[in-house]
Amino acid sequence: MCRPTLVACLALAVSGALFAAGYPEKEIRLIVPFAAGGGTDAVARIVADLAAKDLGQPIVIMNKTGGAGAVGMTEGARSRPDGYTVTMITRELCSLYQVDLSLVQPKDFLPVCLVNEDPAVVLVPKNSPLKSLKDIVEGARARPGSLKFASSAQPNIYLLAMMTELGLSFNQIPYGGAGESIPALLGGHCDFTMVNPGEAIAQIRAGELIPLAVCSDGPYAGLPGVPTMRELGYNVTASTWRGLAVPPRTPREIAEKLESAFKKAVDSPEFQKFMADRTLGVRFIPAAEYMDFMLRDAEALAPIMKIVKAQQGK
Amino acid sequence: MHDFLAHFGAALAGTLSPAILPGLALGVAGGIAIGALPGLTATMGVAVLLPLTFGMPASVGMAVLIGVYVGAIYGGSISAILLKTPGTPAAAATVFDGHALAQQGLAAKALSISTVASFIGGLLSAAVLVTVSPILARMALAISAPERLMLALFGLTVIASISGNSLVKGLIAGIFGLLVSTAGLDYVTSHPRFTYDQLELFNGPPIIPVLVGLFALSEAFAQMEKGAALNATDAYRAFKRQYLSWTEFKGLLPVILKSGLIGTLIGAIPGAGADIAAFVTYGEAKRSSPDREMFGKGALSGIAAPEAGNNGVTGGAMIPLLTLGVPGDAVTAILLGALIIQGLQPGPLLFSEKPEFVHGVFAALVVGNFLMLAFGLLGIKLFCRVVELKKSHVIPMIVMLSVVGSFAMNNSVFDVWVCLVFGVIGYLMQKAEIPSSPIILAIILGPMAEISLRQSLLMYEGSYAFLWTRPIVLAFAAVIALSLWSTWKINRQQRRAAKEAAWEG
Amino acid sequence: MTSRMKKINIAVVAVCLALAGYVTTAAAAFRHAAGDNEPGPAFAPRLLAAALVLFAAVLAGQTLFAKTAADRPDPPGAGRFLPPMTGMAVLFAYILVLEQLGFIVASALLAAAFLLACGVRKWYVLACYPVASSLAIYYIFRKLLIVFLPEGVFHF
């Protein structure tokens, strides 16, 4: 490498290190691409609260909603790479761009760590004639497109996972979030739904909603006694995850500081208890493996997203 | 019963204690301020103060947030009456008669009506919450897409009532508003409609910048035309210190109670909030009022009804929240999140597992309404000071606050552009004598109508049978028909009167 | 109906027809995806465009068949378009520079411009009011409401 370039690189590295040495010197913004009061928002607030203690500066939540997460994540990816804007990224980062609903994809971020993963759970109302997952599958086979599914988000990756794997079709009724799809189920207007356990745990514990199957890899601790899809003989897994990321050119030292702070937060007994109490899953993946995780996830989602694209008429 | 009174009494005592009362009072006062500022909404106020409640025990935090909720929904009426700009979307229906009354020099009376009506509506909803929530929650669950469609259509018929002199122009404005409301990602198919690749439009047009631009900015522009005459003392500035009289109050009480009840019911329906309640109660009050021609010109019921209705939503929206764990409107959706973060599990078991907490919520709602009444009545003199300020000083402040209000919700400069665009549109509409309020009504209710229609068709697999096989839908249809017929009758009377006046004149 | 209002109405009719035409053409591109059960994303815009044409036609009819009355003179508080136009131009410029200059500087200038447009001439008002109010708003929103208004390149 020629002299001037070497000097320039050294200067950059030194200044980067100096910059990082004082970090953080003021509040850090955490962009949450979903509405205040929702599941992603709750996870963000708790992990931020704990990580802030380690970093010594407050972490302020900024809800930037829109486009099922696309707006907030786009802003996060394009923000200044100085470590003062962190973004909570979710599985939509891997799915939306494949159907032209987002301008950002995993490679537009520098991942910090994954903090949470929640499986989908199949729910029916308490007096439903559908007593088991088999009833749903057979009902859909007998009368394709007649069983009413209350969908909390469009496109619905959870239902699509089930549809593509098992070759079924349902009558999807669109709703704006679990806050609308769950009442639809409670009121008997739809036959079943798929949400994350934390979104319906209160109704499940009260017996208003009955979980028929959980779509995780192995038995899910938060829902003891509920069989997994695989145990029932259906090879369907569906989940969502949430993690943290910064813009791509953020100095390495700063990203590492963030990762260590968030790791401490996730490992803390406070966080573990908090998430367990609310039936939110904890899963930690460090920065080094997070990008691979996301790229593999995007690949896994590709067949489903292709179907969505076809449905959109493209 | 005895048990219940004991629990509630204890909760009441707790709320009035130094541990909770100051927080609740600050919440109510802060909420009133937030609601009064154009562009800051109740939803935003609760979302912003949410993190501050983390350090506090759950009952204190909830009390603060409930205070903000109650205060903000009332606070919107202050700027609606004084500045012709609703401070929150829930006050959009209060502008018509509220500001008309203020322009007649009766700003203090309008404010006192709004305060008292909000108080009674809120208290009524608290009473319903405390007594019959489980039953009402079950009933509210029976509301599905077809019923929401009819609710939205009924709300949309109010466009005819707020069209002023020209029904056609009001309808044109309404259609324009409905077209604007279709912008965004399609609800069912996620296909982008009129988004021009702007990510910020994916969720639909931002309501607050549209509201602020259409009302505050366009009014500022219109006022600026006055030039030197801007600061002239008119009836508005030389307002009489008249408040609501006892006789007037007795006359308004039936409307207030009915509107408060309607507001409670609308709040109990998941997904329908204070802004919808304001227009629905306004429309219903006008339909059933003996002097409906006065609506829009300063009718007292025109202020009392929407204010009782929108505060009625506060208790109503808590009904599904506390009995089923499902939010009744956008604010309670945030409260749900707050409760989850606090470690409570709002759901069907909340009442049996944590009765002291639930009673604490009841008590906070009741006491919060009393505090709102106190602050509101005491503050009327202060609020009216705004009226006395020179317009040339107030207008720049309104413009600045409009900009901030548009920006603040989503931290977005795009939203400020939207505000400016609609400010210009609103100003041009004023020049063309086209009413601008139908646009807001259409933006609020349009999505609910279109989405509910398509959800209903999907549920019934393409058939329109939901229109004639569901009793609630039929009841709504009857009310809509009645409302349209009575509006048409008024319109005919007005046109006849105008013709006769032209003959004689 | 005054002749000025008639001209305005015809302009409104023209705008409505243009808008309806635009919406109908744009809506043709909306893909219908969810099958036959529901009408698709193009249904509402097309229906609304048709209604707009209908109402515009009614307005045109009303305007053309109304007796033309004499133009009323502008009331004493109206008709001077320069201040509001200036206001709109100032706001336009403001939004353009907002993120560069930051909220405090830009809003102070905005307030000053509007004060001038509203006829305020006292120099001490023009100096103190904008600065004080934009500082106050910035800090109240920053500290109390935790809303970050644009900082601009000066990093206040």
Side-chain angles (χ1 to χ4, degrees):
Chain A
M1 210 191 290
C2 65
R3 264 283 192 97
T5 322
L6 195 59
V7 172
C9 288
L10 269 175
L12 223 61
V14 168
S15 65
L18 278 178
F19 186 39
Y23 175 86
E25 288 168 355
K26 54 175 184 157
E27 314 115 336
I28 301 172
R29 295 187 318 171
L30 175 56
I31 297 183
V32 176
F34 292 89
T40 308
D41 181 72
V43 173
R45 287 179 192 272
I46 288 313
V47 83
D49 199 48
L50 292 168
K53 295 199 182 103
D54 185 67
L55 289 168
Q57 287 283 346
I59 300 183
V60 174
I61 303 288
M62 205 166 88
N63 296 91
K64 195 141 184 178
T65 63
V71 178
M73 288 197 259
T74 307
E75 160 131 351
R78 294 180 181 170
S79 56
R80 235 187 295 192
D82 57 6
Y84 288 101
T85 307
V86 186
T87 310
M88 172 149 275
I89 52 177
T90 67
R91 200 174 191 209
E92 279 78 10
L93 182 65
C94 297
S95 61
L96 291 178
Y97 77 92
Q98 299 190 42
V99 284
D100 298 329
L101 286 177
S102 172
L103 299 170
V104 290
Q105 44 181 293
K107 68 173 171 63
D108 295 315
F109 278 101
L110 178 66
V112 171
C113 60
L114 182 82
V115 300
N116 147 274
E117 190 177 32
D118 285 331
V121 58
V122 179
L123 296 169
V124 292
K126 70 177 174 200
N127 294 321
S128 167
L130 301 161
K131 300 290 182 205
S132 69
L133 194 64
K134 206 159 84 119
D135 289 341
I136 294 184
V137 176
E138 286 177 0
R141 290 227 170 93
R143 284 159 300 132
S146 67
L147 277 181
K148 294 196 276 267
F149 172 78
S151 164
S152 333
Q154 286 76 246
N156 197 293
I157 307 184
Y158 294 167
L159 188 69
L160 280 166
M162 207 162 100
M163 285 166 64
T164 47
E165 187 61 39
L166 305 175
L168 305 167
S169 71
F170 298 95
N171 187 359
Q172 275 192 60
I173 315 288
Y175 289 98
E180 289 180 19
S181 56
I182 289 181
L185 215 62
L186 292 172
H189 306 294
C190 289
D191 298 309
F192 74 109
T193 189
M194 290 168 83
V195 291
N196 300 326
E199 291 171 318
I201 188 65
Q203 291 84 11
I204 293 175
R205 274 200 323 136
E208 291 286 335
L209 292 176
I210 312 218
L212 294 182
V214 65
C215 307
S216 49
D217 283 329
Y220 187 64
L223 292 170
V226 178
T228 65
M229 285 276 217
R230 289 216 175 117
E231 284 170 21
L232 293 173
Y234 308 104
N235 186 22
V236 177
T237 51
S239 63
T240 193
W241 50 256
R242 302 168 179 109
L244 298 148
V246 284
R249 278 185 302 281
T250 308
R252 203 168 42 88
E253 298 85 2
I254 292 184
E256 284 171 3
K257 258 198 185 171
L258 283 169
E259 185 186 351
S260 110
F262 282 113
K263 181 171 197 324
K264 284 208 193 103
V266 171
D267 286 340
S268 70
E270 269 181 85
F271 184 74
Q272 305 272 341
K273 176 171 189 321
F274 178 91
M275 301 292 267
D277 283 344
R278 286 152 196 74
T279 325
L280 287 166
V282 180
R283 182 174 174 188
F284 183 82
I285 293 184
E289 299 158 24
Y290 195 5
M291 181 56 90
D292 277 332
F293 170 80
M294 288 198 279
L295 292 173
R296 274 181 283 127
D297 202 21
E299 265 183 62
L301 285 169
I304 297 181
M305 300 325 280
K306 229 182 262 166
I307 297 183
V308 175
K309 243 193 164 166
Q311 277 179 352
Q312 283 175 346
K314 293 179 188 169
Chain B
M1 186 59 191
H2 209 240
D3 234 9
F4 171 82
L5 280 177
H7 275 267
F8 189 62
L12 210 53
T15 309
L16 293 170
S17 74
I20 299 188
L21 192 60
L24 182 58
L26 270 171
V28 174
I32 296 180
I34 288 177
L37 286 173
L40 299 183
T41 63
T43 318
M44 202 199 148
V46 174
V48 152
L49 293 178
L50 180 64
L52 296 176
T53 64
F54 285 171
M56 311 174 190
S59 45
V60 181
M62 264 308 266
V64 174
L65 294 177
I66 290 177
V68 173
Y69 188 20
V70 170
I73 302 266
Y74 156 65
S77 66
I78 300 175
S79 45
I81 291 171
L82 297 179
L83 302 173
K84 204 179 176 184
T85 302
T88 68
T94 315
V95 180
F96 313 121
D97 292 272
H99 192 71
L101 210 55
Q103 281 185 321
Q104 293 164 24
L106 294 167
K109 183 185 287 255
L111 285 170
S112 56
I113 295 178
S114 160
T115 313
V116 170
S118 297
F119 167 69
I120 297 183
L123 210 58
L124 180 63
S125 74
V128 172
L129 171 68
V130 171
T131 49
V132 295
S133 5
I135 309 172
L136 210 55
R138 290 286 150 194
M139 278 170 50
L141 281 182
I143 301 286
S144 176
E147 287 78 22
R148 279 199 295 271
L149 171 65
M150 298 313 265
L151 181 65
L153 286 178
F154 177 70
L156 285 170
T157 60
V158 176
I159 290 180
S161 315
I162 56 177
S163 297
N165 288 328
S166 171
L167 183 58
V168 182
K169 287 188 172 175
L171 289 172
I172 289 180
I175 300 285
F176 175 67
L178 288 173
L179 278 172
V180 170
S181 78
T182 61
L185 290 182
D186 180 50
Y187 195 78
V188 178
T189 62
S190 294
H191 191 101
R193 297 195 294 190
F194 307 118
T195 56
Y196 310 110
D197 286 335
Q198 295 288 347
L199 274 182
E200 288 95 337
L201 285 176
F202 275 17
N203 247 17
I207 293 189
I208 300 301
V210 171
L211 184 72
V212 172
L214 220 47
F215 284 87
L217 270 192
S218 71
E219 184 62 19
F221 291 146
Q223 292 284 329
M224 282 166 83
E225 277 185 31
K226 288 191 182 165
L230 191 60
N231 290 331
T233 307
D234 50 9
Y236 170 80
R237 285 185 77 188
F239 68 98
K240 305 175 203 149
R241 295 186 197 289
Q242 241 183 55
Y243 301 94
L244 179 65
S245 77
W246 183 245
T247 349
E248 286 167 340
F249 173 68
K250 278 198 295 192
L252 286 174
L253 197 57
V255 173
I256 293 179
L257 289 174
K258 186 171 82 167
S259 304
L261 205 56
I262 294 178
T264 310
L265 291 172
I266 291 182
I269 300 175
D275 45 8
I276 296 179
F279 279 109
V280 169
T281 46
Y282 184 83
E284 173 56 25
K286 180 165 179 178
R287 185 198 69 77
S288 55
S289 159
D291 42 22
R292 48 185 89 106
E293 315 82 43
M294 282 301 295
F295 272 66
K297 305 200 186 86
L300 302 186
S301 325
I303 306 174
E307 281 304 308
N310 65 24
N311 273 80
V313 168
T314 55
M318 303 250 203
I319 293 177
L321 178 69
L322 295 175
T323 49
L324 298 169
V326 161
D329 73 347
V331 175
T332 40
I334 301 181
L335 292 179
L336 177 67
L339 289 176
I340 292 181
I341 295 183
Q342 290 276 9
L344 293 143
Q345 260 183 17
L349 299 176
L350 184 67
F351 199 89
S352 44
E353 287 180 350
K354 294 240 188 312
E356 341 75 48
F357 174 77
V358 179
H359 281 280
V361 170
F362 294 162
L365 198 55
V366 170
V367 176
N369 270 297
F370 276 97
L371 286 170
M372 175 195 76
L373 179 69
F375 290 157
L377 289 177
L378 289 173
I380 290 184
K381 294 216 182 85
L382 177 65
F383 306 147
C384 284
R385 283 267 190 273
V386 172
V387 174
E388 291 172 348
L389 293 172
K390 285 202 190 137
K391 281 202 186 135
S392 57
H393 292 210
V394 171
I395 288 178
M397 181 60 86
I398 291 183
V399 173
M400 272 208 293
L401 289 174
S402 304
V403 166
V404 177
S406 307
F407 178 85
M409 186 92 194
N410 241 349
N411 277 284
S412 151
V413 176
F414 180 81
D415 285 359
V416 188
W417 283 117
V418 172
C419 180
L420 175 59
V421 167
F422 276 88
V424 175
I425 291 180
Y427 175 67
L428 292 174
M429 284 172 73
Q430 268 200 28
K431 292 288 140 209
E433 288 184 17
I434 304 179
S436 48
S437 359
I439 297 186
I440 284 298
L441 180 53
I443 291 189
I444 291 175
L445 287 172
M448 189 158 125
E450 190 199 359
I451 291 171
S452 304
L453 172 66
R454 294 165 75 183
Q455 280 172 336
S456 306
L457 283 170
L458 280 171
M459 284 166 78
Y460 278 73
E461 294 179 12
S463 141
Y464 280 87
F466 56 86
L467 286 174
W468 55 80
T469 51
R470 300 174 76 107
I472 304 183
V473 171
L474 290 168
F476 262 119
V479 175
I480 291 177
L482 266 175
S483 158
L484 286 173
W485 180 71
S486 96
T487 308
W488 179 73
K489 235 179 41 162
I490 301 175
N491 211 282
R492 224 171 55 148
Q493 280 171 349
Q494 278 177 338
R495 272 187 284 146
R496 258 203 213 123
K499 264 199 203 127
E500 280 165 22
W503 271 108
E504 289 163 19
Chain C
M1 195 179 292
T2 68
S3 76
R4 192 175 84 170
M5 186 67 1
K6 279 194 170 189
K7 287 189 214 133
I8 294 182
N9 283 357
I10 294 301
V12 169
V13 169
V15 167
C16 288
L17 292 176
L19 187 60
Y22 168 69
V23 167
T24 314
T25 17
F30 295 161
R31 301 298 171 93
H32 187 153
D36 301 317
N37 285 341
E38 66 100 17
F43 170 69
R46 284 215 194 111
L47 183 65
L48 292 171
L52 195 57
V53 170
L54 175 66
F55 294 137
V58 171
L59 182 61
Q62 276 183 359
T63 309
L64 293 170
F65 289 117
K67 293 203 180 57
T68 314
D71 271 343
R72 272 172 273 132
D74 277 329
R80 309 170 75 248
F81 297 121
L82 190 57
M85 300 290 234
T86 324
M88 291 176 203
V90 168
L91 263 174
F92 186 86
Y94 170 81
I95 306 178
L96 282 175
V97 303
L98 180 59
E99 287 195 297
Q100 267 79 311
L101 289 182
F103 176 81
I104 300 180
V105 174
S107 304
L109 292 171
L110 177 75
F114 267 86
L115 281 171
L116 281 169
C118 286
V120 175
R121 295 288 180 265
K122 299 201 177 116
W123 69 270
Y124 51 87
V125 175
L126 288 171
C128 305
Y129 178 17
V131 174
S133 48
S134 63
L135 277 172
I137 293 178
Y138 183 82
Y139 280 105
I140 291 179
F141 274 74
R142 174 80 176 247
K143 296 299 174 191
L144 219 57
L145 298 174
I146 319 181
V147 169
F148 289 79
L149 296 166
E151 285 176 14
V153 294
F154 305 120
H155 282 292
F156 279 127

